[in-house]
Amino acid sequence: MFNIILMGHGELGITMKKSAEMIVGKQKAVKTIPFYEGEGIETLEEKIEKANNNKENDLLIVCDLYGGTPFNSACSYCLKHKDQNIIILSGMSLPMVIQILLGNNSKSIIDVINDIEKDKQLYIKTYMWKVEKTLNNSEGDDL
């Protein structure tokens, strides 16, 4: 089992955990970190330190946007804690979080990440019904 932190802009991590729990049940071991306007990398690093209360286990930090402040603060935290195995994953989505939670009890952190890398294209699907306009509108109409 490994530690999991969900973090993103606003309360996305909190909401993502609640949504995932509707499907897979309560997740006591998952921590969430909100990021509010006006907070900086240092504040988020302090929140990660507080949430990462079991440094014996590997840590998976799941963030919303690659290169966003939550992701950058997780990277900064990681560089300062080289004694712990830490993986940072961006692009948080509900299917991804569910896959992580389902694998946490039976798989290593590396196996879960490998599964996500293999399955990530399954997360986004498009369904179109009677689409009238396209981005390549040949009639010259403004969209």
Side-chain angles (χ1 to χ4, degrees):
M1 180 177 254
F2 50 89
N3 300 332
I4 301 168
I5 296 175
L6 306 177
M7 59 188 295
H9 291 78
E11 295 184 346
L12 182 62
I14 295 167
T15 304
M16 193 67 69
K17 179 182 177 186
K18 287 179 182 178
S19 297
E21 286 178 335
M22 291 175 68
I23 298 165
V24 299
K26 291 287 182 196
Q27 301 293 314
K28 295 177 188 171
V30 177
K31 308 290 186 186
T32 60
I33 297 176
F35 169 55
Y36 299 113
E37 193 171 335
E39 291 183 326
I41 288 177
E42 298 80 19
T43 302
L44 285 176
E45 283 184 57
E46 291 169 8
K47 290 180 178 184
I48 295 169
E49 179 66 32
K50 185 177 178 183
N52 186 24
N53 56 6
N54 184 356
K55 293 179 178 59
E56 299 290 319
N57 292 342
D58 294 342
L59 173 62
L60 176 60
I61 303 175
V62 186
C63 301
D64 55 355
L65 297 172
Y66 177 81
T69 303
F71 181 86
N72 291 340
S73 66
C75 290
S76 178
Y77 179 86
C78 183
L79 292 173
K80 295 174 184 174
H81 294 82
K82 295 180 181 181
D83 55 325
Q84 184 180 14
N85 291 325
I86 302 173
I87 295 177
I88 304 164
L89 188 61
S90 68
M92 179 168 46
S93 67
L94 188 55
M96 176 193 291
V97 171
I98 290 169
Q99 187 170 5
I100 291 167
L101 299 179
L102 291 175
N104 190 24
N105 291 328
S106 60
K107 296 182 178 184
S108 72
I109 191 170
I110 296 299
D111 288 339
V112 170
I113 294 301
N114 286 336
D115 288 347
I116 288 170
E117 284 293 325
K118 180 181 61 141
D119 296 341
K120 64 186 174 188
Q121 291 179 324
L122 301 174
Y123 296 160
I124 299 174
K125 299 292 180 189
T126 303
Y127 175 79
M128 291 188 268
W129 180 257
K130 290 192 170 189
V131 177
E132 298 291 330
K133 292 194 175 222
T134 65
L135 292 176
N136 296 322
N137 190 335
S138 60
E139 296 178 11
D141 292 324
D142 292 330
L143 295 178

